[in-house]
Amino acid sequence: MEIKGTGHFVPEKILDNHYFASILDTSDEWITERTGIKERRVCDPDKGEFPSYMAEMAAKRALAAANLEANDIDLILFSITIPDMFFPNTSSVLQARLGMTNQCPCLDISAACSGYLYGLTIANSLIETGTYQNILLIGCEMTSRFNNWEDRNTCILFGDGCGATILGPSTNGPSKMLASQLSSDSSKREALILYAGAAQKPITEEVLKNKEQYVTMDGQQVFKAAVKTLAANCENVLKTAELNHEQIDWFIPHQANLRIIEAVAHRFKFPAEKCIINVQKYANTSSASIPIALDEAIRAGKIQRGQNLLMAAFGAGLTAGAAILKY
Ligand code: COA
């Protein structure tokens, strides 16, 4: 499997840390020191900015980079936590937005922040078995819809955005998925959770009063689990790929918190120059974070063909994943 093209989209509207300091008991210093985040992007629903809109923009850029037409896509995999609507799935909405007429299959993936790596692993299997030729993999999140804007513990952490990647059989000799490891530790499923709004707990006045339609999180538990699981999964994929840390050209981690990234990078002795980091600009865009970082680094000319990319993510579930891809 190889990456044929990438693209990303982030909304124009920026909320910086000073904005939160003006509405909550927090400060730019606190947020910067504890998370590395300086600002994040948020959709403007009045302008029609929803997940499928962001995905359309990102997908068009990826199609142009891959030199493909929308109808060349034969499968859409769409990682998303809060979709446009429960159904139809957002991948089908995207198919329509892209003007596709080939009726290709459309599948949404729900694995929170790890969804892109889940999708990458599924895509690899489907491509290596010859089932599909041009898979459009989307990581797209409108986290501003699950944010409780009165909860300083969570709302400062997230941002909206979308990354798109087109994957197909390798035409460039060495391009290959060298290893992948996915996991989910359901014993910690309550550490990061959105209780209400679905089958178990529909929206009622009581739910709205208790703000259960928004994300709740045990930040310290998630932090510790993230560092441990990311490190273990990276270790495993390095072993499977029979590579040592020096043979990794770029580390592209899920952009949740700079301290988490630094802890994992330190564990593997990755120098700062090898780490792709944009959490300061976009905060945690959930499953969009890795494909956005990947696209930015490719477009900046940092990532070159033949290089080894290590990607690692974690999120609600607690799902996690790591993969090594020769670009
Ligand atoms: N501004 C100011 N103070 C804040 C704050 C904010 N935005 N958010 C929390 N605090 C307060 C807490 O209320 C707490 O106060 P208390 O001691 O009076 O109760 C204090 O800061 C320390 O909280 P603590 O939880 O120890 O901070 P921390 O160093 O663990 O940082 C997180 C908090 C959320 C930044 C950190 O735990 C984290 O990043 N966790 C992982 C979250 C994550 O990545 N989630 C997404 C996974 S995909």
Side-chain angles (χ1 to χ4, degrees), residues 57-69:
M57 296 299 127
K60 283 179 173 165
R61 290 169 189 172
L63 283 165
N67 207 12
L68 290 172
E69 301 292 329

Side-chain angles (χ1 to χ4, degrees), residues 222-272:
V222 174
F223 191 102
K224 282 183 209 150
V227 174
K228 207 169 133 200
T229 314
L230 285 173
N233 283 342
C234 288
E235 191 85 60
N236 285 337
V237 289
L238 281 166
K239 218 175 267 172
T240 307
E242 296 180 353
L243 294 175
N244 64 48
H245 66 274
E246 285 169 0
Q247 292 168 296
I248 294 299
D249 296 291
W250 296 103
F251 177 45
I252 313 171
H254 172 42
Q255 311 283 317
N257 182 318
L258 186 60
R259 284 157 58 215
I260 294 175
I261 296 172
E262 285 174 348
V264 179
H266 182 255
R267 159 86 182 70
F268 291 96
K269 302 188 184 69
F270 293 136

Side-chain angles (χ1 to χ4, degrees), residues 22 125 163 187 190 267 316:
S22 72
S125 303
S187 70
E190 302 222 350
R267 159 86 182 70

Side-chain angles (χ1 to χ4, degrees), residues 291-324:
I292 291 175
L294 177 69
D295 181 50
E296 283 195 332
I298 289 172
R299 284 174 193 267
K302 287 183 180 174
I303 293 177
Q304 299 291 325
R305 288 286 176 195
Q307 290 186 327
N308 293 326
L309 317 180
L310 170 61
M311 301 177 240
F314 66 94
L318 297 177
T319 60
I324 299 178

Side-chain angles (χ1 to χ4, degrees), residues 72-94:
D72 294 328
I73 297 299
D74 52 7
L75 170 66
I76 301 177
L77 295 176
F78 199 122
S79 166
I80 182 130
T81 311
I82 306 279
D84 272 27
M85 56 198 84
F86 277 132
F87 53 86
N89 55 10
T90 311
S91 43
S92 294
V93 179
L94 175 63

Side-chain angles (χ1 to χ4, degrees), residues 25-27 30-31 34-35 113 152-154 156-158 192 217-224 226 254 256-257 259-260 284 286 314-316:
D25 181 14
T26 188
S27 64
W30 194 96
I31 300 170
R34 302 294 178 108
T35 71
C113 303
R152 67 177 183 171
N153 290 292
T154 52
I156 52 123
L157 296 173
F158 297 100
L192 185 50
M217 182 183 70
D218 177 340
Q220 285 195 6
Q221 200 188 356
V222 174
F223 191 102
K224 282 183 209 150
H254 172 42
N257 182 318
R259 284 157 58 215
I260 294 175
N284 180 349
S286 187
F314 66 94

